[in-house]
Amino acid sequence: MVRGLAFPSRTPGWRAALCLLAALCLLLPDPAEAQRRTIIRDAEIEDTIRLYSAPIFQAAGLSPSSITVYLVQDRSLNAFVTNGLQMFLHTGLLMEAEDPTEVIGVIAHETGHISGGHVVGRIAEVQNAQAKSLLTYLLGIGAAIASGRPEAGAAIISGGQDVALKSLLSYTRGQEQAADQAAVRYLEATGQSPQGLLNFMEVLNGQDVLLSANQDPYLRTHPLTRERVTFLENAVANSKTRDKKPSAELVERHDRMRAKLIGYLDAPRLVDRAYPQEDQSLPARYARTISTYRQGDLGKAIGMIDELVAENPDDPYFHELKGQMLFEHGKLAEALPEYEKAIALSPNSPQIRLALAQLQLETHDAALDKEALENLKVVLRHEPDNAFAWRLSAVAYGRLGDTGMFALSQAENALRRGRFDEAQQQAVRAQGILPEYSAPWLQAQDVENLAKRLKEKRKN
């Protein structure tokens, strides 16, 4: 469910899930860490990352809508891309970055890997036996990831599989230099300074003498050389945009993103250290509000978020946070207007709309079932591979008595959870109910055929 910072409700398509799993399973040294490694969703943070990345993607000749950026809950500094135009950013990178230019610089570098084709065909580099072993393993836990329960799918890769996965996400020195050069071009083309990328590399350069186990994973898959640092130093010195500062909007968005992540992910004592009480800035109050809520003091947290809402009545994310607090404490009637206000202020946010749809269904008010379904249709237009949205759609269609669409929604949900037999059965059932050759009927036929193919692929 989407409620503020959350585990994923948007799930990737099956091919994308394989890349996602490969990334998630990278460098998991023990079961405890495996349980901590997951993908998170947050409407505000993802909007901020889109603001950072869209100009870079466009400068690289890539459509921003073609690249999916995932947030990995991990305190280490890391970012990487996989097959399928997918980029992964660790929350540690976002939390440690001093200003937006550092994150934007890393995004530009990773975009250089995409545009340079450094990831394409990487699986072919792994020996056949290793690749088959990896594929079998990933298919085995793919359903857990796609279901929106990544904690059930996080797992350990060891021995040859671990080596194989690391090799898939590692680059040569030549590829790293090419990505750096591309990053500088993209930054200058968008009127931004390459100083942030240099700052990030200098942080990593300071880790070069550490043992591999103590280095941030970015350094282990992105070899750093003195030549790379020298290139970036010269690029900054000769850049016409070297002194260009990020806009006030970007700085504000960055500060809020860091505050939100710290408030959600850090222990209360660390939140208090980062944002002491005397700091009355908006990001500091935001972080303390979230931390207070996480400690279970709903009354105090509501009072704190009410102050932020009163000062910023047109901020959708403050309304969303208040709605989340109330929703999670069973105060559905009070949460409803907060989510409705958030959607009125941010109508194109599929995550907030998904939370509103779930809330509407959980009220068990028949008058809201149609509204919930309309919200879910919007979500699925944005995120057609969202398994959770398909599951809620099945609930809505079932209550409304539409058995054909109920079966189709069940089939779509099962497909994205890797339950191919169930997907095939529900798709056949839907075809027996829906008008022949209608758009939903054809969709059910597509699901049936895809489930068959994927089931055969799993066997092989």
Side-chain angles (χ1 to χ4, degrees):
M1 178 172 62
V2 178
R3 294 177 183 171
L5 198 65
F7 296 124
S9 55
R10 176 185 68 186
T11 51
W14 189 252
R15 292 179 183 175
L18 296 183
C19 300
L20 170 59
L21 288 166
L24 283 175
C25 294
L26 179 68
L27 304 173
L28 297 183
D30 58 61
E33 183 173 346
Q35 290 302 313
R36 290 193 299 269
R37 185 71 60 89
T38 189
I39 298 293
I40 60 175
R41 299 293 311 275
D42 180 78
E44 180 178 12
I45 294 174
E46 290 181 9
D47 284 346
T48 298
I49 296 301
R50 276 191 288 271
L51 192 64
Y52 290 179
S53 61
I56 297 296
F57 295 156
Q58 290 170 341
L62 302 169
S63 170
S65 62
S66 69
I67 301 175
T68 303
V69 180
Y70 294 97
L71 305 178
V72 182
Q73 184 181 335
D74 192 301
R75 284 307 303 262
S76 63
L77 303 181
N78 202 10
F80 47 89
V81 292
T82 64
N83 286 347
L85 297 179
Q86 296 171 331
M87 184 178 295
F88 297 80
L89 303 176
H90 279 203
T91 54
L93 168 65
L94 304 180
M95 294 162 74
E96 295 299 325
E98 292 290 333
D99 64 61
T101 63
E102 295 182 19
V103 178
I104 294 170
V106 172
I107 290 173
H109 176 90
E110 296 305 314
T111 303
H113 284 306
I114 294 175
S115 62
H118 302 161
V119 187
V120 177
R122 208 46 87 72
I123 292 178
E125 298 173 7
V126 183
Q127 294 180 358
N128 289 339
Q130 289 177 315
K132 185 174 181 179
S133 175
L134 284 174
L135 183 61
T136 300
Y137 181 86
L138 295 175
L139 284 170
I141 61 175
I145 293 291
S147 69
R149 296 184 62 246
E151 69 279 7
I156 302 170
I157 293 281
S158 60
Q161 289 179 338
D162 182 54
V163 172
L165 279 174
K166 289 179 184 178
S167 71
L168 288 178
L169 296 178
S170 295
Y171 299 104
T172 66
R173 292 184 177 184
Q175 288 172 331
E176 287 297 282
Q177 290 173 341
D180 287 339
Q181 293 167 2
V184 171
R185 291 198 306 272
Y186 305 152
L187 291 167
E188 292 190 334
T190 55
Q192 300 181 89
S193 173
Q195 182 68 54
L197 179 58
L198 174 60
N199 292 345
F200 177 72
M201 293 301 175
E202 287 177 338
V203 170
L204 293 177
N205 197 34
Q207 297 185 12
D208 199 38
V209 297
L210 298 177
L211 294 175
S212 177
N214 296 321
Q215 293 174 340
D216 278 300
Y218 195 89
L219 194 59
R220 282 176 263 164
T221 56
H222 296 69
L224 185 64
T225 62
R226 182 63 244 176
E227 290 78 10
R228 288 184 62 202
V229 175
T230 299
F231 165 76
L232 289 174
E233 289 174 341
N234 292 334
V236 170
N238 296 316
S239 173
K240 295 179 180 179
T241 59
R242 66 179 180 272
D243 297 323
K244 184 72 176 293
K245 301 300 181 184
S247 67
E249 179 188 8
L250 286 183
V251 172
E252 179 184 358
R253 296 291 292 263
H254 188 77
D255 290 345
R256 283 181 56 151
M257 175 174 65
R258 293 186 68 228
K260 196 169 197 177
L261 287 168
I262 290 170
Y264 269 112
L265 302 178
D266 275 355
R269 60 181 178 79
L270 297 178
V271 177
D272 292 339
R273 183 184 305 169
Y275 300 101
Q277 194 62 41
E278 57 268 23
D279 185 349
Q280 289 298 304
S281 65
L282 186 147
R285 295 161 63 199
Y286 201 13
R288 290 196 298 267
T289 298
I290 294 168
S291 181
T292 299
Y293 174 67
R294 286 182 56 238
Q295 295 174 65
D297 193 339
L298 177 63
K300 184 177 181 181
I302 289 293
M304 296 169 74
I305 192 61
D306 277 343
E307 290 182 2
L308 291 174
V309 169
E311 296 170 16
N312 305 272
D314 294 331
D315 190 306
Y317 307 114
F318 291 155
H319 289 283
E320 178 198 18
L321 178 57
K322 184 177 180 180
Q324 173 192 348
M325 294 177 179
L326 294 166
F327 192 178
E328 291 182 347
H329 278 78
K331 300 180 182 297
L332 307 189
E334 296 176 52
L336 192 59
E338 296 301 328
Y339 276 112
E340 290 174 338
K341 181 66 173 178
I343 281 296
L345 293 167
S346 184
N348 294 321
S349 173
Q351 287 180 263
I352 301 176
R353 198 173 285 275
L354 181 60
L356 174 58
Q358 183 176 14
L359 174 57
Q360 289 168 329
L361 291 173
E362 289 197 15
T363 62
H364 293 281
D365 182 348
L368 295 177
D369 289 340
K370 287 185 178 180
E371 291 185 27
L373 184 57
E374 290 306 311
N375 282 320
L376 291 166
K377 289 178 180 178
V378 175
V379 172
L380 289 168
R381 281 201 294 271
H382 285 276
E383 301 179 355
D385 290 321
N386 190 322
F388 186 62
W390 281 116
R391 182 158 71 87
L392 291 182
S393 295
V395 172
Y397 281 119
R399 290 183 184 177
L400 294 169
D402 190 336
T403 55
M405 290 303 298
F406 169 81
L408 175 57
S409 298
Q410 291 278 61
E412 291 279 11
N413 175 47
L415 180 69
R416 283 152 181 82
R417 296 174 63 196
R419 297 168 63 170
F420 302 138
D421 284 331
E422 180 184 345
Q424 190 174 342
Q425 292 166 5
Q426 291 290 350
V428 170
R429 179 187 173 199
Q431 290 173 71
I433 302 171
L434 295 165
E436 192 171 7
Y437 298 113
S438 65
W441 185 90
L442 293 171
Q443 182 179 345
Q445 191 175 66
D446 289 342
V447 171
E448 179 192 4
N449 293 334
L450 181 57
K452 286 180 182 178
R453 291 199 302 271
L454 291 174
K455 188 165 60 174
E456 288 301 315
K457 186 176 292 187
R458 175 184 282 174
K459 290 179 182 178
N460 297 329

